[in-house]
C-alpha cells in the first residue's frame, strides 16, 4: 500500500484508465472539466469514460437535472449523481456483469475576477466495488485556497482523481481521506465535510471521520447533527445567530444543560438576534480530546452519542483559543450575532496575559476578535473554591490586576459580557470529573447528577467504562 500512496495524479489516472472493469461518467459544473481532463491527458481514456458533460448554463442544467435554487450546493450534487448514475446501467446493460460503474460529479464556484468570493465546491462519487452490486456514495465539500482561479481548477482536478482512485483501490476510510490531498497541501485545499456511505461502508462512522478531518489537518472545524449526519459548517451557519458551549462533556451533567438553556434565554432576547435563525452548538476542541497527544476514538464517540441524544449539533475544532473560534464563527455566519457560553473560571483564563505571549498585539489583539462587533460572552457563575460564596461578574473586577480593570469595565459598559443570573445554583456542586470517577467505579448515586437521557445512554451502552451491563449486575455487586 505504500507504493499506492506515492503515485502521481497522472499515474493514478492512467492506472484507472487501464483497468477494464472501471467505467463511468463525469459531470462538472463551474470550474471547467479538470477532473475528466486528467484522464484524457494520460491516454487510454476510452477505457474509463463513457461520457463527460458540463451543463454550465443554468437553464440547461435545470433541464437535465431539475430546478434548484442554488447551484453550488449538496442538493444539486445529489441531482447530478442520481441522473448520471442511473443512465449507466440503462445504456450499458451489456456491461453490467463485468463492470464497476461510477458517476463522478462536482458543482463548484471558483475565484471570481475581482477576487471577492471564496472558492468552494461539492464533489461526489457514486460507485460500485463489484460488478452488479449496490452502489456507495462518497461526498466531500472543498474550499479552494489558491489566489488564482486557474490554480484552483487544477487543484480541483487533482482531488477528483484522488477521490476515484481512493475509492477503487483503497480499503481503509482514513487512508482514502488522507489520499485526497496527494499532490497538494492543506494550504491549497481544505476539506471540511466527508461522508462515505453505502452497503460496503456500513462500518464507517462519519462522525469519527469528521474528527479525523480535523485531527489530520484537512480542516480546522467539522460538524455533525443530532442524528449523527455530518454537516457542512458554512451551510449550517450562513447568516445564522450562533450560540456555542465549549466543554469536555465527560459526561454531560445538569450544569451543562442549564448553561445551554439559560444562555439561550438571554441570547434570544438580544435586540439583534433573529429568534428564527438561532443555531446552538456544543463544541469539542482537539486539545480536550487529546490532552496527551493521542485521541481515544471510543471516548470521542461516547461523548458524541450523549451530546446527540440531547438534540445538540456538535462542532469539532482545532481552535484551542477562544478568539480563534469566535473569528471562525463570525466569518462563517457572515457577521451575525455570536454568543459564547463559559464559566466564570474560564473567563479568568481569558484575562491571563501570558496566554497571548505569542501574539504581536498580546491580549488586545486577541480581544479584538473575541469581543468583535457582534460577539457577546455569557458567563455562568460558580461557587468560590475557598468558600460557599457565589462568584459572578460583579466580583470579577476585584480579582483582576490594575492594568486590566479598565479593559474589563469597557467590556461591561459595552454589553460584551453578561452574567447568567438565573442559573440553577443548586447544581453548581456537580463536577464532571467527579461524576466520571463515580461512573467508572460503579458507585451509587451518580445518576442524579446527569440528565435522564444521559443516564440511559451510559447504562445501555456501557459508556465511560460503566461496569454494569444491566441493573441485576449492579444490584448483585451493591
Amino acid at each position: 500500500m505504500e507504493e499506492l500512496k506515492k503515485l502521481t495524479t497522472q499515474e493514478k489516472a492512467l492506472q484507472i484508465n487501464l483497468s477494464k472493469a472501471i467505467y463511468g461518467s463525469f459531470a462538472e459544473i463551474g470550474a471547467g472539466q479538470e477532473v475528466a481532463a486528467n484522464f484524457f491527458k494520460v491516454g487510454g481514456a476510452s477505457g474509463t469514460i463513457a461520457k463527460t458533460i458540463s451543463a454550465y448554463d443554468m437553464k440547461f442544467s435545470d433541464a437535465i437535472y431539475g430546478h434548484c435554487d442554488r447551484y453550488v450546493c449538496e442538493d444539486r450534487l445529489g441531482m447530478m449523481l442520481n441522473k448520471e448514475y442511473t443512465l449507466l446501467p440503462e445504456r450499458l446493460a451489456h456491461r453490467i456483469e463485468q463492470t464497476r460503474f461510477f458517476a463522478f460529479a462536482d458543482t463548484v464556484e471558483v475565484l471570481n475576477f475581482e477576487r471577492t468570493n471564496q472558492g468552494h465546491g461539492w464533489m461526489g462519487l457514486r460507485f460500485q466495488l463489484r460488478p452488479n452490486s449496490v452502489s456507495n456514495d462518497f461526498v466531500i465539500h472543498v474550499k479552494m485556497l489558491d489566489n488564482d482561479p486557474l490554480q484552483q481548477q487544477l487543484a480541483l482536478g487533482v482531488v477528483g482523481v484522488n477521490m476515484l482512485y481512493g475509492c477503487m483501490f483503497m480499503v481503509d476510510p482514513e487512508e482514502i481521506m488522507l489520499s485526497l490531498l496527494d499532490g497538494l497541501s492543506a494550504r491549497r485545499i481544505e476539506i471540511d465535510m466527508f461522508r462515505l456511505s453505502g452497503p460496503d461502508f456500513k462500518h464507517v462512522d462519519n462522525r469519527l471521520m469528521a474528527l479525523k478531518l480535523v485531527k489530520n489537518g484537512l480542516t480546522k472545524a467539522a460538524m455533525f447533527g443530532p442524528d449523527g449526519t455530518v454537516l457542512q459548517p458554512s451551510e449550517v451557519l450562513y447568516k445564522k445567530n450562533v450560540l456555542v458551549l465549549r466543554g469536555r462533556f465527560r459526561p454531560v451533567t445538569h450544569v451543562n444543560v442549564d448553561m445551554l438553556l439559560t444562555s439561550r434565554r438571554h441570547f434570544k432576547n438580544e435586540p439583534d438576534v433573529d429568534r428564527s435563525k438561532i443555531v446552538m452548538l456544543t463544541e469539542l476542541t482537539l486539545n480536550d480530546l487529546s490532552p496527551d497527544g493521542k485521541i481515544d476514538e471510543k471516548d470521542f464517540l461516547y461523548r458524541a452519542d450523549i451530546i446527540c441524544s440531547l438534540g445538540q449539533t456538535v462542532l469539532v475544532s482545532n481552535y484551542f483559543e477562544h478568539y480563534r473560534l469566535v473569528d471562525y464563527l463570525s466569518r462563517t455566519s457572515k457577521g451575525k450575532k455570536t454568543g459564547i457560553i463559559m464559566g466564570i473560571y474560564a473567563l479568568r483564563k481569558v484575562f491571563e496575559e501570558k496566554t497571548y505571549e505569542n501574539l504581536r498585539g498580546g491580549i488586545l489583539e486577541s480581544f479584538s476578535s473575541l469581543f468583535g462587533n457582534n460577539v457577546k460572552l455569557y458567563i455562568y457563575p460558580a461557587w468560590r473554591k475557598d468558600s460557599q460564596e457565589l462568584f459572578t461578574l460583579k466580583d470579577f473586577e476585584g480579582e483582576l490586576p490594575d492594568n486590566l480593570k479598565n479593559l474589563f469595565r469597557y467590556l461591561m459598559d459595552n454589553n460584551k459580557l453578561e452574567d447568567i443570573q438565573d442559573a440553577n445554583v443548586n447544581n453548581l456542586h456537580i463536577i464532571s470529573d467527579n461524576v466520571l470517577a463515580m461512573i467508572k467505579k460503579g458507585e451509587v448515586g451518580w445518576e442524579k447528577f446527569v440528565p435522564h437521557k444521559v443516564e440511559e445512554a451510559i447504562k445501555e451502552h456501557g459508556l465511560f467504562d460503566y461496569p454494569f451491563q444491566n441493573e441485576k449486575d449492579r444490584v448483585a455487586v451493591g
Side-chain angles (χ1 to χ4, degrees), residues 36 41 68 98 136 155 230 264 279 296 397 407 434 466 472:
K41 289 174 183 176
C68 195
Q98 297 83 34
N136 306 283
V230 288
R264 184 176 64 179
V279 175
D296 185 335
E397 183 181 341
L407 179 57
N434 297 342
Y466 180 67
K472 291 180 180 178

Side-chain angles (χ1 to χ4, degrees), residues 156-373:
L156 195 77
V158 173
V159 175
V161 174
N162 290 338
M163 283 184 74
L164 185 53
Y165 186 87
C167 290
M168 293 300 178
F169 294 103
M170 296 177 181
V171 176
D172 178 62
E174 188 168 7
E175 185 182 7
I176 294 172
M177 172 187 288
L178 293 174
S179 76
L180 292 173
L181 294 190
D182 285 355
L184 298 167
S185 73
R187 287 183 302 225
R188 298 189 64 189
I189 289 283
E190 177 184 344
I191 300 172
D192 61 358
M193 205 284 285
F194 177 106
R195 183 173 65 247
L196 192 55
S197 60
D200 296 305
F201 296 95
K202 290 181 178 178
H203 61 289
V204 176
D205 191 322
N206 283 301
R207 298 174 304 171
L208 190 57
M209 302 311 294
L211 168 65
K212 290 182 177 183
L213 282 176
V214 180
K215 182 193 78 170
N216 290 309
L218 278 75
T219 187
K220 288 286 189 179
M223 184 185 291
F224 52 87
D227 61 355
T229 301
V230 288
L231 304 169
Q232 200 279 313
S234 296
E235 292 220 333
V236 176
L237 303 180
Y238 181 69
K239 292 192 174 180
K240 296 293 196 305
N241 306 119
V242 183
L243 182 63
V244 59
L245 173 64
R246 315 189 79 179
R248 289 182 299 160
F249 309 109
R250 301 187 74 229
V252 174
T253 67
H254 289 309
V255 174
N256 300 129
V257 173
D258 193 55
M259 291 177 81
L260 279 168
L261 294 179
T262 53
S263 297
R264 184 176 64 179
R265 287 198 292 269
H266 288 242
F267 193 62
K268 287 167 65 175
N269 289 325
E270 296 289 340
D272 52 350
V273 168
D274 183 343
R275 294 188 177 200
S276 67
K277 295 183 178 180
I278 293 177
V279 175
M280 294 185 65
L281 300 175
T282 49
E283 188 247 6
L284 293 164
T285 66
L286 210 61
N287 186 69
D288 281 334
L289 291 167
S290 56
D292 58 355
K294 296 179 181 179
I295 293 178
D296 185 335
E297 294 179 356
K298 191 167 89 169
D299 179 75
F300 166 74
L301 291 175
Y302 286 171
R303 287 188 255 182
D305 284 339
I306 286 178
I307 295 170
C308 289
S309 74
L310 297 172
Q312 293 298 305
T313 297
V314 178
L315 181 73
V316 183
S317 90
N318 201 16
Y319 296 115
F320 172 66
E321 299 91 345
H322 293 290
Y323 72 91
R324 295 189 192 277
L325 174 66
V326 169
D327 182 62
Y328 166 77
L329 293 174
S330 296
R331 284 185 285 107
T332 308
S333 68
K334 302 302 180 184
K336 292 296 182 179
K337 189 80 168 187
T338 299
I340 304 294
I341 311 164
M342 67 172 63
I344 189 77
Y345 286 111
L347 182 65
R348 178 187 281 176
K349 292 181 180 179
V350 168
F351 274 83
E352 290 180 357
E353 290 188 272
K354 65 180 181 181
T355 306
Y356 313 106
E357 289 176 348
N358 294 326
L359 284 180
R360 189 162 61 96
I363 193 170
L364 290 180
E365 181 177 338
S366 72
F367 275 27
S368 67
S369 293
L370 181 56
F371 297 99
N373 288 336

